[in-house]
Amino acid sequence: MAGLQNRLARFAEARDWGPFHTPKNLAAALSVEASELVEIFQWLTPEQSARVMDDAESAHRVEDEVADVLAYLLQLCEVLGIDALAALAAKIDRNESRFPVPGA
């Protein structure tokens, strides 16, 4: 994960994109990319959405949008100094407390 964040940072730095990679702009870009991912599934039935990766063209579109979402999320974490994996682990811990297994 850190290697990918560094690669993304170097990519942006080489193109002088740093001034544009503010938390606000990265969060907005993340939202746009997430919306583009949603758009792929927008009018599919649940059954069609479950098979979206069976078609090479739609699978490629999904993978590209997932990559865009992840890239902007990692860049946002980099700018804000967030360890994404630690944040996720902490959130899972909180959710396990908030939503215990029924009957356990």
Side-chain angles (χ1 to χ4, degrees), residues 58-80:
S58 64
H60 179 71
R61 289 180 57 216
V62 170
E63 288 172 355
D64 271 358
E65 295 309 332
V66 165
D68 288 342
V69 168
L70 184 56
Y72 279 118
L73 181 59
L74 290 176
Q75 290 174 84
L76 181 63
C77 288
E78 177 76 19
V79 167
L80 295 176

Side-chain angles (χ1 to χ4, degrees), residues 1 4 16 21 27 29-30 34 41 49-50 53 57 61-63 65-67 70 76 84 88 93-95 99:
M1 183 86 70
L4 289 172
D16 296 320
H21 283 196
L30 173 60
F41 295 92
S49 70
M53 300 305 286
E57 183 178 330
R61 289 180 57 216
V62 170
E63 288 172 355
E65 295 309 332
V66 165
L70 184 56
L76 181 63
L88 177 57
D93 289 344
R94 287 191 304 277
N95 283 344
F99 306 104

Side-chain angles (χ1 to χ4, degrees), residues 5-100:
Q5 280 181 296
N6 289 333
R7 188 172 173 192
L8 286 165
R10 287 191 314 271
F11 181 88
E13 185 179 314
R15 290 153 180 82
D16 296 320
W17 291 352
F20 307 104
H21 283 196
T22 64
K24 177 193 78 68
N25 288 351
L26 290 170
L30 173 60
S31 176
V32 169
E33 295 301 339
S35 294
E36 290 177 4
L37 179 60
V38 170
E39 182 181 30
I40 295 168
F41 295 92
Q42 184 174 10
W43 302 114
L44 300 181
T45 65
E47 295 78 18
Q48 290 169 323
S49 70
R51 295 188 312 272
V52 74
M53 300 305 286
D54 294 345
D55 174 69
E57 183 178 330
S58 64
H60 179 71
R61 289 180 57 216
V62 170
E63 288 172 355
D64 271 358
E65 295 309 332
V66 165
D68 288 342
V69 168
L70 184 56
Y72 279 118
L73 181 59
L74 290 176
Q75 290 174 84
L76 181 63
C77 288
E78 177 76 19
V79 167
L80 295 176
I82 296 171
D83 179 332
L85 295 179
L88 177 57
K91 181 66 176 188
I92 293 169
D93 289 344
R94 287 191 304 277
N95 283 344
E96 287 175 340
S97 294
R98 287 180 60 210
F99 306 104

